[in-house]
Amino acid sequence: MKMKYWQEEIETASRETLDSLQSERLIATVKRVYEKVPMYRQRMDEAGVKPEDIKSIKDITKLPFTTKQDLRDTYPYGMFAVPMNEVVELHASSGTTGKQVVVGYTEKDVHTWGEICARALVAAGADETDFVHVSYGYGLFTGGFGLHYGAQQIGATAIPVSAGQTKRQVTILEDFGSTILCCTPSYAMTIAEAVEQAGIDAAKLPLKAGIFGAEPWTEEMRQYIEDKLKIKAYDIYGLTEVMGPGVSFTCEHQCGMHVNEDHFIIEVLDPETFEPVPDGTIGEIVFTCITKEAFPVIRYRTKDLGYVTREKCECGRTFARMSKILGRTDDMLIIRGVNVFPSQIETVLLEQGYAPNYMLIVDRVNNADTLEVQVEVTPEIFSDKAAALTSYEKKLQVAIRELLGIQAAVKLVAPNTIQRFEGKAKRVIDNRKLHD
């Protein structure tokens, strides 16, 4: 069935209408999680808050926060607000030391997910005549599925290519007539390079737009992608814990990502005091789900830094717009769309018999993220022949790739060459320019 997903009535609703709808849905959601999710009931009781204390969105600050650690502590299904026989789909994000964050969707949740991604596609100019080439990963990762469902909801043709096999991607772009490319911005760069190497004129491809997310990227990188692939490049934002891609998206004016406020409440808080900051002020972004059935999270601390504006956009949408992600409040890195924690590297080193003296060097070369892991070794290992050192490095590379799912360069260095710190150790040097 062909469906139109420029949902003008809600996407251009007045602030008063949105506030009223959010208040109504927040009240219902808080009541439900208090009754159905033991952790929320305990946290609210500890905070002295009852569902009846929440009378509008202005009362949201009375509610406790949710963190990723809470989701790990209740692994796998402790945060679900419906019986498991109502859950039709599971996804998961990577864990720092093994335990994943598991999320679930009811049939209605899957439809909602498709709906918000459909809005992102429509904002990028898509309709039922388009071929949506999805090169985000599928599997437990939420990336591929959201845009896939969105394409189907607008009646477009979804092409579930998934990531990797870049030469094959180029062949499909050419032969299948792909018009919308969905992937990480860094992978879009890889595809663009492969198109060029194949001697294909990008201007002659059917591609007209790209929807890129899952990692931070600059305006300069957007312009480079647009130039190389001869398309218009759009942002999309989401988190597994909140829904997946589609929480917010850019329109043709590219002046911030429209938050789907009929489904999510966005707050921006001071990272130190956790008090709300004025619109336009950088802070930690916090989301509350107000329509999810299986896995609604309340005041989820994303640890992403950005700001929000509620001024009406030139496109006519009145939804709040969030900035690009400007950084993180913790030490998590996003490398080629994958969450990487220094503690994961440390786990591998310890398992392989190395001391945890290491440094991660992150950079961006030709608009693609790179990761180098420098590891101190014992004098005995360092004095070995070059071939032996290379063998050790390759073994570590394999172990890191198996855990993280990304390629890292490993460099074994002499003892005592990595700086020591009396306080908190600095394990990361991030040379990428993520914002001006």
Side-chain angles (χ1 to χ4, degrees), residues 167-424:
K167 287 184 179 178
R168 178 168 169 262
Q169 300 268 356
V170 174
T171 300
I172 291 172
L173 283 173
E174 209 173 15
D175 295 351
F176 288 26
S178 308
T179 56
I180 310 285
L181 174 62
C182 305
C183 61
T184 64
S186 57
Y187 195 54
M189 287 298 314
T190 301
I191 290 174
E193 290 165 2
V195 166
E196 192 171 26
Q197 289 166 6
I200 297 168
D201 181 357
K204 293 182 179 178
L205 289 173
L207 271 185
K208 64 180 184 182
I211 298 179
F212 307 127
E215 65 187 10
W217 55 307
T218 61
E219 285 301 317
E220 291 84 358
M221 189 170 179
R222 181 206 301 282
Q223 291 160 14
Y224 191 90
I225 291 170
E226 290 184 336
D227 179 63
K228 287 292 184 182
L229 287 175
K230 311 304 179 189
I231 61 174
K232 189 154 185 173
Y234 296 79
D235 288 80
I236 192 167
Y237 173 85
L239 307 91
T240 299
E241 300 87 342
V242 176
M243 177 63 91
V247 173
S248 64
F249 59 90
T250 52
C251 66
E252 68 271 21
H253 295 286
Q254 298 173 321
C255 54
M257 292 180 279
H258 296 274
V259 178
N260 282 300
E261 288 194 277
D262 51 334
H263 298 292
F264 311 103
I265 296 173
I266 183 171
E267 300 175 81
V268 183
L269 307 180
D270 184 301
E272 300 294 329
T273 66
F274 304 116
E275 292 297 319
V277 299
D279 287 359
T281 303
I282 295 173
E284 181 179 345
I285 295 170
V286 173
F287 279 109
T288 296
C289 300
I290 51 176
T291 59
K292 279 180 73 178
E293 292 183 333
F295 194 86
V297 289
I298 304 295
R299 304 194 83 197
Y300 182 73
R301 289 187 55 197
T302 68
K303 298 196 174 182
D304 287 330
L305 292 171
Y307 58 88
V308 71
T309 177
R310 289 177 173 80
E311 295 177 0
K312 184 177 179 179
C313 181
E314 288 182 54
C315 72
R317 291 176 179 85
T318 51
F319 287 164
R321 283 172 287 143
M322 57 181 279
S323 67
K324 279 180 170 291
I325 299 306
L326 305 177
R328 298 280 302 175
T329 62
D330 62 6
D331 60 356
M332 189 187 85
L333 299 165
I334 302 177
I335 301 173
R336 299 193 291 278
V338 177
N339 294 350
V340 177
F341 293 81
S343 57
Q344 290 175 303
I345 304 292
E346 188 166 300
T347 298
V348 174
L349 296 181
L350 291 169
E351 287 176 348
Q352 297 291 321
Y354 294 88
N357 298 318
Y358 62 97
M359 183 69 72
L360 310 183
I361 314 294
V362 187
D363 212 332
R364 184 160 281 163
V365 179
N366 296 325
N367 283 305
D369 291 340
T370 63
L371 171 62
E372 179 181 279
V373 183
Q374 297 183 356
V375 185
E376 279 188 11
V377 294
T378 62
E380 293 77 21
I381 291 177
F382 194 74
S383 63
D384 277 348
K385 294 180 180 179
L389 275 179
T390 300
S391 175
Y392 287 127
E393 288 171 346
K394 286 183 177 177
K395 186 178 178 183
L396 260 182
Q397 278 183 326
V398 170
I400 291 169
R401 186 173 67 246
E402 285 178 350
L403 177 66
L404 301 181
I406 64 170
Q407 188 71 31
V410 173
K411 182 179 181 182
L412 300 183
V413 300
N416 302 311
T417 53
I418 291 176
Q419 185 178 355
R420 282 9 181 211
F421 296 86
E422 292 182 0
K424 183 178 179 181

Side-chain angles (χ1 to χ4, degrees), residues 118-177:
R119 291 177 183 173
L121 283 162
V122 168
D127 61 24
E128 69 273 9
T129 66
D130 281 292
F131 291 81
V132 181
H133 183 114
V134 185
S135 295
Y136 288 108
Y138 280 70
L140 287 176
F141 180 55
T142 57
F145 284 87
L147 275 304
H148 185 103
Y149 295 146
Q152 291 181 329
Q153 285 206 25
I154 63 173
T157 303
I159 309 175
V161 190
S162 196
Q165 295 184 282
T166 307
K167 287 184 179 178
R168 178 168 169 262
Q169 300 268 356
V170 174
T171 300
I172 291 172
L173 283 173
E174 209 173 15
D175 295 351
F176 288 26

Side-chain angles (χ1 to χ4, degrees), residues 64-79:
F65 293 108
T66 309
T67 66
K68 181 166 277 193
Q69 190 58 49
D70 293 328
L71 308 187
R72 292 197 188 101
D73 291 344
T74 52
Y75 173 91
Y77 305 136
M79 294 286 286

